[in-house]
Amino acid sequence: MPITTCVFDAYGTLFDVSAAAREAASEPAFPALEGNWQALAMHWRDRQLQYTWLRAVTGDHCDFWQVTQDGLDWALEACGLAGDAALRERLLQLYFELSAYPEVPTMLSALKSKGLTTAILSNGSPAMLEGAVGSAGLTDLLDANLSVESVGVFKPSAKVYNLVETELNVSKSEVLFVSSNGWDAGCAAAYGFRTAWVNRLGLPVDRLPGTPHHELTDLSTLPKLIAANA
């Protein structure tokens, strides 16, 4: 069947997860971040994801905002910045308003002009997704923001991927799932979606039961990919 629905992971796919640390480092109030923000951003993201996986395995669910704060606290301590309450508050504020990658608005506009349904499927809480989508000016370009909070478990649980079919009323064969996380794209492929991995960092393919069907360096070529597979 042709692709009728394009579903995106949010963080790292549509929204730049390094933007919060980078923007804070450019502000005069936080000189300690100037040569340290890349390490902080990396540690923050790594722990954020690791905590979602561990909570999914143990069944000890909390919302993604809590996981984001926990990951930041670990990263701040690892970078020798624990105890800086003003920096912590600023980083969390910036994370709530993450900027989209430059190509995202044009890409989504192109998909909408072709009549495709566009949606987010994310670990993010509803409030986080609303904040990011609104601050990036993407509200009118997305038909739905699906959060794992409705099923109470993080990706890559099949319960999360099931939300696409139940909430958007589409079959797996109509969906292209897009993620910058290789593990997410691979697990979604094993679930039954056609998938595209946005491999911005040129990483190897994860060794998982599923393998992404397409690999992109950014999202700018996605409309052409979908047109070629219509």
Side-chain angles (χ1 to χ4, degrees):
M1 293 183 66
I3 295 167
T4 66
T5 304
C6 196
V7 178
F8 298 88
D9 172 62
Y11 297 103
T13 303
L14 297 180
F15 305 112
D16 183 357
V17 291
S18 297
R22 184 175 61 248
E23 290 178 32
S26 71
E27 299 176 0
F30 308 113
L33 270 186
E34 186 174 348
N36 209 17
W37 72 265
Q38 295 97 331
L40 178 75
M42 180 188 69
H43 287 316
W44 190 1
R45 179 59 170 167
D46 285 349
R47 288 292 158 168
Q48 182 192 51
L49 288 175
Q50 289 169 23
Y51 292 162
T52 65
W53 300 329
L54 291 169
R55 284 181 176 276
V57 170
T58 62
D60 189 17
H61 185 71
C62 67
D63 72 25
F64 197 57
W65 189 238
Q66 182 62 55
V67 171
T68 298
Q69 293 178 78
D70 292 342
L72 175 59
D73 289 338
W74 192 97
L76 287 168
E77 185 172 349
C79 293
L81 298 169
D84 191 334
L87 174 59
R88 182 183 189 273
E89 182 179 357
R90 180 60 176 149
L91 287 167
L92 290 172
Q93 178 187 19
L94 288 168
Y95 201 94
F96 205 82
E97 303 168 350
L98 286 177
S99 56
Y101 287 102
E103 75 273 15
V104 168
T106 300
M107 177 274 298
L108 288 175
S109 294
L111 297 185
K112 295 302 295 177
S113 71
K114 299 297 183 181
L116 271 77
T117 298
T118 58
I120 282 174
L121 178 67
S122 174
N123 280 336
S125 67
M128 289 179 70
L129 294 177
E130 183 179 353
V133 169
S135 64
L138 303 181
T139 303
D140 293 338
L141 298 175
L142 291 161
D143 296 298
N145 298 318
L146 306 179
S147 167
V148 302
E149 284 308 297
S150 62
V151 291
V153 66
F154 292 114
K155 294 178 184 177
S157 170
K159 292 180 180 179
V160 177
Y161 299 123
N162 283 342
L163 286 171
V164 173
E165 295 175 274
T166 58
E167 296 297 319
L168 301 181
N169 194 29
V170 293
S171 67
K172 293 180 184 180
S173 60
E174 298 176 73
V175 174
L176 179 68
F177 179 78
V178 184
S179 180
S180 65
N181 299 301
W183 58 269
D184 192 15
C187 290
Y191 172 80
F193 290 146
R194 283 177 281 183
T195 64
W197 176 31
V198 189
N199 186 8
R200 297 181 186 274
L201 300 178
L203 299 174
V205 175
D206 282 312
R207 274 54 173 181
L208 292 169
T211 302
H213 299 87
H214 307 282
E215 185 174 337
L216 310 173
T217 57
D218 60 38
L219 288 165
S220 60
T221 58
L222 187 65
K224 290 183 179 179
L225 185 154
I226 292 174
N229 288 271

